[in-house]
Amino acid sequence: MPDFYRRPVAIDLFAGAGGFSLGIEQAGFDVALAVEHDPVHAAVYAFNFPHSKVICADIAKLSGLDIKQALSEWAVEHRQHSNWNGEIDLVFGGPPCQGFSMIGKRLPNDARNNLVFDFCRLVKELQPRYFVMENVPGLCLNKHSSILERLMNEFEVAGYKLTEPVQVLNAANFGVPQKRRRFFLLGTQVGAVAIDYPCPEVEASFQPMTVKDAIADLPNLDDFTELSSTDSIQLTSEQLYQLHEQTSAYVKKLRGMMSDPSDFAYPRYWNPQLLTSSIQTQHTELSIERFKNTPMGKLEPTSRLRRLNWDKPCHTLRAGTGYERGSYTSPRPIHPQYPRVISVREAARLHSFPDWFRFHATKWHGFRQVGNAVPPLLARVIGSQIIAALAIELPVPTTRLELGNTKVLKFTLVKASKYWNAPKHFFD
């Protein structure tokens, strides 16, 4: 087998539930290692990516040597040592962005801002051929210009040429049915073939994916009494047939019903009749009436929730807050047809997650995992730029992966912390 016929190796330093990782895998990488601080998210990641080694730890306390040791263990566990040369092709990740967010206060001295420099530190220590760092567009604002300038200087001193001008990409321009703008910083090790930003669809004939493309086939959750207390249900053959009758080309790819020549992810074993991540939200009669009277695309005046428009992309889905910020569930859009907010599965469709991908059983964790993720389709086009620069002929994956044990999708924080032997502060 020639050297160029291989799957390159990548590391995700801020993995969350794995949206960025999935897109990079779809581009053709083996995401060998994922680091995630939150034990609940780390458990969900491990469920969906059984071929990756997961480290549940604070990135600020990890060294490059720690990561290289874990990579060596991964190589042995997955029998990759015979054709992996020990070099890292890509380090990627999206450091927590609340300190830069245009929704928040954008504090330059927010402690979370330091995590972008921990990302830079590990890139220096690991010396991958390429790196990709994702963040909110607020990092480009004047208030944070000194942070971005310092960060870029440190990458250049570490031996990386940055792709300039730096860009903010909108997921809606790359096949995602959601208007979601994100900043990406791309770096190439000096001596390697430089990478470019992907070109958005700008032709006059371009039609963005819409809410209808993403979720019109999904049944109304309120028709299933079981979904008041569980997040999944087995559809009958007739119900599955009705779903497939309304399925768009976009969804056919997400459900594996249509070949996708740009998708090099490992296929997963899953049950297409199982509707998952779909626990109901119980609304008051008054709320239901207000939702009914809200036109598509408009804000409901009392809740300030926006009703989705069938014929347009979704607005940016938000994540809500973590434990340290009050554990608030994110504002969820109102379904364009039904008088209720959307489900986690519907949000996942709007984010370009395939239907086999599972999230935590609770709405709070589930929406955090979707809302914090890089849409896989957007991540894929960025990963594909690096594959092109590496000039690798990708093998078509033939190994089908078994997903993990569904019990981890219901872990409380305490159970997840014990599962990973996480630091004591997670119990407080």
Side-chain angles (χ1 to χ4, degrees):
M1 180 181 293
D3 180 60
F4 63 82
Y5 195 77
R6 65 182 178 91
R7 288 183 73 93
V9 170
I11 297 171
D12 189 343
L13 292 182
F14 295 89
F20 209 166
S21 278
L22 181 58
I24 294 298
E25 181 191 329
Q26 289 172 339
F29 287 84
D30 273 343
V31 182
L33 190 70
V35 181
E36 171 52 41
H37 190 210
D38 187 303
V40 171
H41 298 341
V44 169
Y45 186 103
F47 173 90
N48 288 296
F49 297 90
H51 58 310
S52 301
K53 188 173 184 65
V54 181
I55 299 176
C56 183
D58 182 352
I59 205 79
K61 298 176 182 177
L62 286 179
S63 69
L65 287 176
D66 295 329
I67 290 176
K68 287 179 180 178
Q69 176 60 37
L71 270 179
S72 297
E73 294 170 2
W74 168 84
V76 172
E77 290 169 7
H78 294 273
R79 296 185 176 90
Q80 297 289 329
H81 54 283
S82 60
N83 60 7
W84 179 48
N85 60 11
E87 294 188 22
I88 302 164
D89 296 286
L90 170 65
V91 168
F92 65 97
C97 58
Q98 290 85 346
F100 307 122
S101 175
M102 289 183 282
I103 295 174
K105 296 181 180 180
R106 301 198 300 272
L107 301 175
N109 61 348
D110 190 308
R112 290 166 293 183
N113 296 354
N114 293 329
L115 291 172
V116 298
F117 294 102
D118 281 304
F119 179 93
C120 182
R121 171 180 60 83
L122 287 171
V123 167
K124 291 179 187 177
E125 294 176 20
L126 294 170
Q127 286 295 301
R129 288 185 175 89
Y130 300 96
F131 75 80
V132 177
M133 194 194 79
E134 175 265 353
N135 219 280
V136 291
L139 184 55
C140 300
L141 296 178
N142 290 338
K143 195 170 188 178
H144 299 299
S145 59
S146 61
I147 294 175
L148 180 57
E149 183 178 353
R150 176 189 156 197
L151 184 66
M152 294 174 69
N153 286 338
E154 291 198 15
F155 277 124
E156 289 173 348
V157 170
Y160 287 87
K161 180 175 177 54
L162 303 178
T163 303
E164 297 190 74
V166 297
Q167 291 188 24
V168 171
L169 302 178
N170 189 337
N173 293 330
F174 297 94
V176 180
Q178 182 185 159
K179 295 178 180 178
R180 188 178 186 88
R181 299 174 69 253
R182 284 297 183 269
F183 165 78
F184 289 90
L185 190 63
L186 312 183
T188 301
Q189 195 175 49
V190 171
V193 177
I195 50 175
D196 297 319
Y197 286 93
C199 294
E201 297 281 358
V202 294
E203 294 83 0
S205 60
F206 172 68
Q207 295 294 323
M209 290 294 152
T210 66
V211 171
K212 182 178 291 184
D213 292 322
I215 67 172
D217 62 307
L218 290 172
N220 185 11
L221 309 185
D222 294 338
D223 293 339
F224 302 91
T225 57
E226 301 95 324
L227 291 177
S228 63
S229 57
T230 182
D231 79 323
S232 63
I233 189 171
Q234 182 87 2
L235 299 176
T236 65
S237 297
E238 182 180 352
Q239 289 167 337
L240 184 64
Y241 175 78
Q242 291 174 349
L243 182 150
H244 285 173
E245 281 287 283
Q246 302 177 67
T247 298
S248 65
Y250 169 82
V251 172
K252 285 180 179 177
K253 291 180 180 179
L254 296 186
R255 292 184 61 81
M257 299 166 60
M258 176 186 290
S259 65
D260 186 347
S262 69
D263 185 356
F264 289 89
Y266 293 100
R268 268 64 164 184
Y269 286 108
W270 70 295
N271 178 3
Q273 283 190 246
L274 195 63
L275 178 65
T276 63
S277 301
S278 296
I279 192 168
Q280 296 171 354
T281 298
Q282 304 301 321
H283 298 296
T284 65
E285 289 298 325
L286 186 59
S287 293
I288 291 171
E289 191 62 29
R290 290 202 306 263
F291 292 168
K292 283 181 180 178
N293 294 328
T294 303
M296 289 194 300
K298 301 297 183 181
L299 285 176
E300 193 284 304
T302 303
S303 65
R304 304 296 295 170
L305 300 179
R306 185 176 299 278
R307 191 161 203 178
L308 297 176
N309 189 321
W310 274 132
D311 300 318
K312 294 183 178 180
C314 175
H315 54 277
T316 302
L317 296 177
R318 293 166 58 187
T321 62
Y323 317 96
E324 77 287 354
R325 302 280 166 164
S327 303
Y328 293 113
T329 302
S330 60
R332 285 163 282 164
I334 303 169
H335 194 282
Q337 180 174 351
Y338 307 120
R340 60 167 176 81
V341 295
I342 63 171
S343 68
V344 173
R345 173 56 56 200
E346 288 161 339
R349 286 277 195 88
L350 293 165
H351 224 74
S352 75
F353 279 99
D355 281 13
W356 59 258
F357 201 102
R358 299 286 296 270
F359 301 89
H360 195 271
T362 66
K363 292 189 290 288
W364 173 50
H365 282 306
F367 275 100
R368 285 177 66 211
Q369 288 163 0
V370 174
N372 278 325
V374 175
L377 274 181
L378 178 57
R380 187 197 303 186
V381 297
I382 294 171
S384 296
Q385 296 293 101
I386 302 170
I387 292 291
L390 288 168
I392 290 175
E393 183 180 341
L394 289 171
V396 176
T398 56
T399 303
R400 188 175 292 270
L401 303 178
E402 294 273 4
L403 297 171
N405 190 322
T406 55
K407 73 177 184 180
V408 306
L409 303 177
K410 299 179 181 179
F411 274 169
T412 62
L413 176 60
V414 170
K415 285 185 178 179
S417 299
K418 290 179 177 177
Y419 179 80
W420 293 111
N421 194 25
K424 186 180 181 302
H425 72 265
F426 273 112
F427 296 94
D428 299 335

